[in-house]
Amino acid sequence: MTSKIWGGRFKSATDAVLEAINVSIDFDKRLGLQDVRGSLAHVAMLGETGIVSRDDAAKIADGLERVKAEIENERFHFSRALEDIHMNVESRLAELIGPAAGRLHTARSRNDQVATDFRLYIRDQIDALDVELADLQLALATRARDEAASVMPGFTHLQSAQPVTLGHHLLAYVEMIARDRGRLRDARARLNECPLGAAALAGTSFPIDRAMTAHALGFDRPTANSLDSVSDRDFVLETLSAAAICATHLSRFAEEIVLWTTPQFGFIALSDKFTTGSSIMPQKRNPDAAELARGKSGRVIGALVALLVVMKGLPLAYSKDMQEDKEGAFDALDTLSLCIAAIAGMVRDMRVDRARMKAAAGAGYATATDLADWLVRALSLPFREAHHVTGRIVALAEARGVGLEDLTLEEMRSVEPRINADVCDVLGVEKSVQSRRSFGGTAPDNVRAAAQVWFDRLKDK
Ligand code: ARG
């Protein structure tokens, strides 16, 4: 027999390298409070069902409360020799209350224990992320309201396409984040079943009450199949997948911040609070926070892919491979939370150069579609023909090195004689955005109304 909790049938100690590869306390100590919470629910049930005497159950619960306080006050000593968080908590409990501690693990295994702890942890993280994402949406919606009529170039292929407003652009991200929050909510709803009581893999011969523990831990119900309960990590995968999509959205916005703060674009500027300098080039103002929000999306996506690979070949039920579910998930969710805060900070901080954006909006013949649409409306040209006529007018302007609105009526008429002075109404960028009143379009009135809806929805949350 060795000193390990599981050492009964072992004769000699484990090799140091086994200890090194096996130990998880360095990271799973983050599950300390969830582990105690699960154990409190378990022991209450053991006492209630008479599996453990009420006396012992009370003693254990008492000891667990003390462990909890030690963890909360950072007085708990985590020992690497005890492998993981479950052994650490149980062994500290034994130090505190003596042999009664040995009854806590009745009708339970570390396999259902860790699955329960991790579900509790992920659930807490999802709830925290939801609040942080709502705050980011509020930051975006607030700026969108102010910039509802601020014209900027809209791009496709990163080429000037049609003018839009900055408010419209910011609200696009509000919509993406709304779906990110929805995906996290969906993951939460599906993960909210309690694996505790599945034991090692087959259930238990003790008359446990799984509904009681599920209820005590805020789960909707116990999981239905004991094998599935201890084998599955799709709740982590689903959460990481939602997190990876969200990180990808943030990364795209971060990329736009990087572009827009360049002297070449100059659409926005970040204050010193969100800017770093260069050690050699005195003039530099670097948007490091945006670059890192973009770069760190790689870690979130990586965590998802890594866990998919870990899981894909595992036969049922538990395998120790599954201990690899935690570090990536911890890191990914921490990283996402940090990126959300950084982006929200930059959204609140950025100064918008409306004149510069407006000037850029007119470049690249961005109102050519407006001209084509006018030819359809005023002259009843089929759109394909209007497209062609407009293309020739654009070529003419390009040859002269001027914008569409700088061409004379005569020059336009040299391409299409029926064009009249009314055309001037549609060639400016402001007119262009004002005309896009279709549902979901970029017209300032639309944007103002949409921003207000979001603002009202978010402000008191
Ligand atoms: N530390 C383990 C993990 O994170 C806990 C479960 C261990 N179970 C076992 N049968 N060794 O997966």
Side-chain angles (χ1 to χ4, degrees), residues 24 28 83-86 109-111 114 233 318-320 322-323 325-326:
S24 59
D28 69 15
E83 280 183 36
D84 61 20
I85 186 62
H86 322 294
S109 150
R110 274 188 293 163
N111 297 349
V114 74
R233 291 294 179 272
Y318 178 85
S319 296
K320 198 63 178 264
M322 288 162 71
Q323 182 166 284
D325 61 356
K326 290 175 203 65

PDB file of all heavy atoms in Angstrom, residues 24 28 83-86 109-111 114 233 318-320 322-323 325-326, ligand 1:
ATOM      1  N   SER A  24      -2.376  18.008 -12.039  1.00  0.00           N
ATOM      2  CA  SER A  24      -3.213  19.043 -12.667  1.00  0.00           C
ATOM      3  C   SER A  24      -3.539  20.179 -11.697  1.00  0.00           C
ATOM      4  O   SER A  24      -4.191  21.149 -12.094  1.00  0.00           O
ATOM      5  CB  SER A  24      -4.515  18.428 -13.185  1.00  0.00           C
ATOM      6  OG  SER A  24      -5.232  17.814 -12.137  1.00  0.00           O
ATOM      7  N   ASP A  28      -6.021  23.166 -12.216  1.00  0.00           N
ATOM      8  CA  ASP A  28      -7.423  22.909 -11.823  1.00  0.00           C
ATOM      9  C   ASP A  28      -7.752  23.434 -10.436  1.00  0.00           C
ATOM     10  O   ASP A  28      -8.886  23.325  -9.981  1.00  0.00           O
ATOM     11  CB  ASP A  28      -7.840  21.444 -12.053  1.00  0.00           C
ATOM     12  CG  ASP A  28      -7.177  20.445 -11.131  1.00  0.00           C
ATOM     13  OD1 ASP A  28      -6.591  20.843 -10.110  1.00  0.00           O
ATOM     14  OD2 ASP A  28      -7.263  19.230 -11.452  1.00  0.00           O
ATOM     15  N   GLU A  83      -2.052  15.552  -6.607  1.00  0.00           N
ATOM     16  CA  GLU A  83      -2.531  15.475  -7.995  1.00  0.00           C
ATOM     17  C   GLU A  83      -3.451  16.608  -8.428  1.00  0.00           C
ATOM     18  O   GLU A  83      -3.073  17.453  -9.215  1.00  0.00           O
ATOM     19  CB  GLU A  83      -3.276  14.155  -8.261  1.00  0.00           C
ATOM     20  CG  GLU A  83      -2.389  12.975  -8.514  1.00  0.00           C
ATOM     21  CD  GLU A  83      -3.205  11.728  -8.848  1.00  0.00           C
ATOM     22  OE1 GLU A  83      -4.246  11.810  -9.521  1.00  0.00           O
ATOM     23  OE2 GLU A  83      -2.752  10.665  -8.403  1.00  0.00           O
ATOM     24  N   ASP A  84      -4.691  16.523  -7.944  1.00  0.00           N
ATOM     25  CA  ASP A  84      -5.671  17.449  -8.512  1.00  0.00           C
ATOM     26  C   ASP A  84      -6.496  18.120  -7.421  1.00  0.00           C
ATOM     27  O   ASP A  84      -6.307  17.876  -6.230  1.00  0.00           O
ATOM     28  CB  ASP A  84      -6.557  16.740  -9.553  1.00  0.00           C
ATOM     29  CG  ASP A  84      -7.354  15.583  -8.966  1.00  0.00           C
ATOM     30  OD1 ASP A  84      -7.545  15.539  -7.728  1.00  0.00           O
ATOM     31  OD2 ASP A  84      -7.790  14.720  -9.753  1.00  0.00           O
ATOM     32  N   ILE A  85      -7.424  18.955  -7.842  1.00  0.00           N
ATOM     33  CA  ILE A  85      -8.213  19.745  -6.898  1.00  0.00           C
ATOM     34  C   ILE A  85      -9.097  18.850  -6.019  1.00  0.00           C
ATOM     35  O   ILE A  85      -9.287  19.130  -4.833  1.00  0.00           O
ATOM     36  CB  ILE A  85      -9.065  20.820  -7.642  1.00  0.00           C
ATOM     37  CG1 ILE A  85      -9.779  21.738  -6.649  1.00  0.00           C
ATOM     38  CG2 ILE A  85     -10.054  20.190  -8.602  1.00  0.00           C
ATOM     39  CD1 ILE A  85      -8.879  22.554  -5.757  1.00  0.00           C
ATOM     40  N   HIS A  86      -9.575  17.763  -6.597  1.00  0.00           N
ATOM     41  CA  HIS A  86     -10.506  16.908  -5.842  1.00  0.00           C
ATOM     42  C   HIS A  86      -9.793  16.264  -4.653  1.00  0.00           C
ATOM     43  O   HIS A  86     -10.304  16.232  -3.536  1.00  0.00           O
ATOM     44  CB  HIS A  86     -11.116  15.849  -6.756  1.00  0.00           C
ATOM     45  CG  HIS A  86     -11.406  16.382  -8.123  1.00  0.00           C
ATOM     46  ND1 HIS A  86     -12.351  17.348  -8.346  1.00  0.00           N
ATOM     47  CD2 HIS A  86     -10.838  16.124  -9.339  1.00  0.00           C
ATOM     48  CE1 HIS A  86     -12.355  17.659  -9.632  1.00  0.00           C
ATOM     49  NE2 HIS A  86     -11.447  16.925 -10.260  1.00  0.00           N
ATOM     50  N   SER A 109     -17.447   9.482  -7.911  1.00  0.00           N
ATOM     51  CA  SER A 109     -16.120   9.236  -8.454  1.00  0.00           C
ATOM     52  C   SER A 109     -15.554  10.598  -8.856  1.00  0.00           C
ATOM     53  O   SER A 109     -16.295  11.571  -8.979  1.00  0.00           O
ATOM     54  CB  SER A 109     -16.247   8.332  -9.684  1.00  0.00           C
ATOM     55  OG  SER A 109     -15.224   8.602 -10.608  1.00  0.00           O
ATOM     56  N   ARG A 110     -14.251  10.655  -9.063  1.00  0.00           N
ATOM     57  CA  ARG A 110     -13.714  11.911  -9.569  1.00  0.00           C
ATOM     58  C   ARG A 110     -14.235  12.194 -10.983  1.00  0.00           C
ATOM     59  O   ARG A 110     -14.203  13.330 -11.445  1.00  0.00           O
ATOM     60  CB  ARG A 110     -12.180  11.872  -9.581  1.00  0.00           C
ATOM     61  CG  ARG A 110     -11.574  12.279  -8.267  1.00  0.00           C
ATOM     62  CD  ARG A 110     -10.081  12.411  -8.391  1.00  0.00           C
ATOM     63  NE  ARG A 110      -9.425  11.134  -8.634  1.00  0.00           N
ATOM     64  CZ  ARG A 110      -8.192  10.997  -9.088  1.00  0.00           C
ATOM     65  NH1 ARG A 110      -7.467  12.064  -9.379  1.00  0.00           N
ATOM     66  NH2 ARG A 110      -7.655   9.804  -9.262  1.00  0.00           N
ATOM     67  N   ASN A 111     -14.697  11.135 -11.638  1.00  0.00           N
ATOM     68  CA  ASN A 111     -15.151  11.337 -13.022  1.00  0.00           C
ATOM     69  C   ASN A 111     -16.433  12.164 -13.100  1.00  0.00           C
ATOM     70  O   ASN A 111     -16.541  13.083 -13.922  1.00  0.00           O
ATOM     71  CB  ASN A 111     -15.350   9.988 -13.720  1.00  0.00           C
ATOM     72  CG  ASN A 111     -14.045   9.219 -13.833  1.00  0.00           C
ATOM     73  OD1 ASN A 111     -12.975   9.772 -13.572  1.00  0.00           O
ATOM     74  ND2 ASN A 111     -14.122   7.947 -14.203  1.00  0.00           N
ATOM     75  N   VAL A 114     -15.501  15.816 -11.526  1.00  0.00           N
ATOM     76  CA  VAL A 114     -14.854  16.821 -12.375  1.00  0.00           C
ATOM     77  C   VAL A 114     -15.814  17.324 -13.455  1.00  0.00           C
ATOM     78  O   VAL A 114     -15.816  18.513 -13.793  1.00  0.00           O
ATOM     79  CB  VAL A 114     -13.533  16.288 -12.991  1.00  0.00           C
ATOM     80  CG1 VAL A 114     -13.774  15.287 -14.104  1.00  0.00           C
ATOM     81  CG2 VAL A 114     -12.683  17.447 -13.510  1.00  0.00           C
ATOM     82  N   ARG A 233     -17.538  16.117 -23.288  1.00  0.00           N
ATOM     83  CA  ARG A 233     -17.070  17.481 -23.035  1.00  0.00           C
ATOM     84  C   ARG A 233     -17.632  18.416 -24.095  1.00  0.00           C
ATOM     85  O   ARG A 233     -17.050  19.444 -24.393  1.00  0.00           O
ATOM     86  CB  ARG A 233     -15.531  17.543 -23.034  1.00  0.00           C
ATOM     87  CG  ARG A 233     -14.861  16.856 -21.861  1.00  0.00           C
ATOM     88  CD  ARG A 233     -15.146  17.543 -20.520  1.00  0.00           C
ATOM     89  NE  ARG A 233     -14.514  16.857 -19.409  1.00  0.00           N
ATOM     90  CZ  ARG A 233     -15.058  15.851 -18.709  1.00  0.00           C
ATOM     91  NH1 ARG A 233     -16.284  15.412 -19.003  1.00  0.00           N
ATOM     92  NH2 ARG A 233     -14.402  15.295 -17.718  1.00  0.00           N
ATOM     93  N   TYR A 318     -14.622   7.676 -19.383  1.00  0.00           N
ATOM     94  CA  TYR A 318     -13.561   8.638 -19.062  1.00  0.00           C
ATOM     95  C   TYR A 318     -12.194   8.121 -19.470  1.00  0.00           C
ATOM     96  O   TYR A 318     -11.864   6.954 -19.280  1.00  0.00           O
ATOM     97  CB  TYR A 318     -13.572   8.930 -17.550  1.00  0.00           C
ATOM     98  CG  TYR A 318     -12.469   9.886 -17.131  1.00  0.00           C
ATOM     99  CD1 TYR A 318     -12.651  11.263 -17.225  1.00  0.00           C
ATOM    100  CD2 TYR A 318     -11.232   9.421 -16.679  1.00  0.00           C
ATOM    101  CE1 TYR A 318     -11.642  12.149 -16.873  1.00  0.00           C
ATOM    102  CE2 TYR A 318     -10.220  10.302 -16.323  1.00  0.00           C
ATOM    103  CZ  TYR A 318     -10.425  11.667 -16.427  1.00  0.00           C
ATOM    104  OH  TYR A 318      -9.435  12.538 -16.075  1.00  0.00           O
ATOM    105  N   SER A 319     -11.371   8.997 -20.022  1.00  0.00           N
ATOM    106  CA  SER A 319      -9.939   8.766 -20.202  1.00  0.00           C
ATOM    107  C   SER A 319      -9.201   9.977 -19.688  1.00  0.00           C
ATOM    108  O   SER A 319      -9.728  11.093 -19.740  1.00  0.00           O
ATOM    109  CB  SER A 319      -9.587   8.569 -21.680  1.00  0.00           C
ATOM    110  OG  SER A 319     -10.194   7.404 -22.176  1.00  0.00           O
ATOM    111  N   LYS A 320      -7.981   9.735 -19.231  1.00  0.00           N
ATOM    112  CA  LYS A 320      -7.246  10.849 -18.612  1.00  0.00           C
ATOM    113  C   LYS A 320      -6.928  11.951 -19.606  1.00  0.00           C
ATOM    114  O   LYS A 320      -6.666  13.093 -19.216  1.00  0.00           O
ATOM    115  CB  LYS A 320      -5.966  10.327 -17.937  1.00  0.00           C
ATOM    116  CG  LYS A 320      -5.345  11.282 -16.907  1.00  0.00           C
ATOM    117  CD  LYS A 320      -6.274  11.532 -15.715  1.00  0.00           C
ATOM    118  CE  LYS A 320      -5.677  12.426 -14.641  1.00  0.00           C
ATOM    119  NZ  LYS A 320      -5.060  11.706 -13.542  1.00  0.00           N
ATOM    120  N   MET A 322      -8.852  13.558 -21.011  1.00  0.00           N
ATOM    121  CA  MET A 322      -9.860  14.600 -20.828  1.00  0.00           C
ATOM    122  C   MET A 322      -9.438  15.661 -19.808  1.00  0.00           C
ATOM    123  O   MET A 322     -10.032  16.741 -19.765  1.00  0.00           O
ATOM    124  CB  MET A 322     -11.197  13.965 -20.438  1.00  0.00           C
ATOM    125  CG  MET A 322     -11.813  13.238 -21.629  1.00  0.00           C
ATOM    126  SD  MET A 322     -13.072  12.058 -21.175  1.00  0.00           S
ATOM    127  CE  MET A 322     -14.360  13.170 -20.684  1.00  0.00           C
ATOM    128  N   GLN A 323      -8.414  15.356 -19.023  1.00  0.00           N
ATOM    129  CA  GLN A 323      -7.861  16.379 -18.132  1.00  0.00           C
ATOM    130  C   GLN A 323      -7.304  17.560 -18.947  1.00  0.00           C
ATOM    131  O   GLN A 323      -7.141  18.654 -18.425  1.00  0.00           O
ATOM    132  CB  GLN A 323      -6.760  15.752 -17.270  1.00  0.00           C
ATOM    133  CG  GLN A 323      -6.129  16.685 -16.261  1.00  0.00           C
ATOM    134  CD  GLN A 323      -5.301  15.924 -15.236  1.00  0.00           C
ATOM    135  OE1 GLN A 323      -5.835  15.304 -14.334  1.00  0.00           O
ATOM    136  NE2 GLN A 323      -3.990  15.936 -15.396  1.00  0.00           N
ATOM    137  N   ASP A 325      -8.806  19.147 -21.031  1.00  0.00           N
ATOM    138  CA  ASP A 325      -9.893  20.064 -21.413  1.00  0.00           C
ATOM    139  C   ASP A 325      -9.780  21.428 -20.736  1.00  0.00           C
ATOM    140  O   ASP A 325     -10.415  22.384 -21.178  1.00  0.00           O
ATOM    141  CB  ASP A 325     -11.273  19.447 -21.096  1.00  0.00           C
ATOM    142  CG  ASP A 325     -11.456  19.147 -19.609  1.00  0.00           C
ATOM    143  OD1 ASP A 325     -10.509  19.328 -18.818  1.00  0.00           O
ATOM    144  OD2 ASP A 325     -12.564  18.692 -19.236  1.00  0.00           O
ATOM    145  N   LYS A 326      -8.980  21.497 -19.661  1.00  0.00           N
ATOM    146  CA  LYS A 326      -9.125  22.674 -18.790  1.00  0.00           C
ATOM    147  C   LYS A 326      -8.250  23.865 -19.151  1.00  0.00           C
ATOM    148  O   LYS A 326      -8.744  24.980 -19.284  1.00  0.00           O
ATOM    149  CB  LYS A 326      -8.857  22.268 -17.346  1.00  0.00           C
ATOM    150  CG  LYS A 326      -9.950  21.397 -16.798  1.00  0.00           C
ATOM    151  CD  LYS A 326      -9.638  20.896 -15.414  1.00  0.00           C
ATOM    152  CE  LYS A 326     -10.429  19.627 -15.149  1.00  0.00           C
ATOM    153  NZ  LYS A 326     -10.013  18.510 -16.037  1.00  0.00           N
TER     154      LYS A 326
HETATM  155  N1  ARG B   1      -8.043  15.568 -12.698  1.00  0.00           N
HETATM  156  C1  ARG B   1      -8.932  14.716 -13.416  1.00  0.00           C
HETATM  157  C2  ARG B   1      -9.451  15.449 -14.656  1.00  0.00           C
HETATM  158  O1  ARG B   1      -9.341  16.627 -14.701  1.00  0.00           O
HETATM  159  C3  ARG B   1     -10.083  14.354 -12.560  1.00  0.00           C
HETATM  160  C4  ARG B   1     -10.701  13.061 -12.928  1.00  0.00           C
HETATM  161  C5  ARG B   1      -9.776  11.950 -12.633  1.00  0.00           C
HETATM  162  N2  ARG B   1     -10.389  10.690 -12.783  1.00  0.00           N
HETATM  163  C6  ARG B   1      -9.659   9.587 -12.843  1.00  0.00           C
HETATM  164  N3  ARG B   1     -10.304   8.492 -13.011  1.00  0.00           N
HETATM  165  N4  ARG B   1      -8.372   9.585 -12.720  1.00  0.00           N
HETATM  166  O2  ARG B   1      -9.947  14.854 -15.580  1.00  0.00           O
END
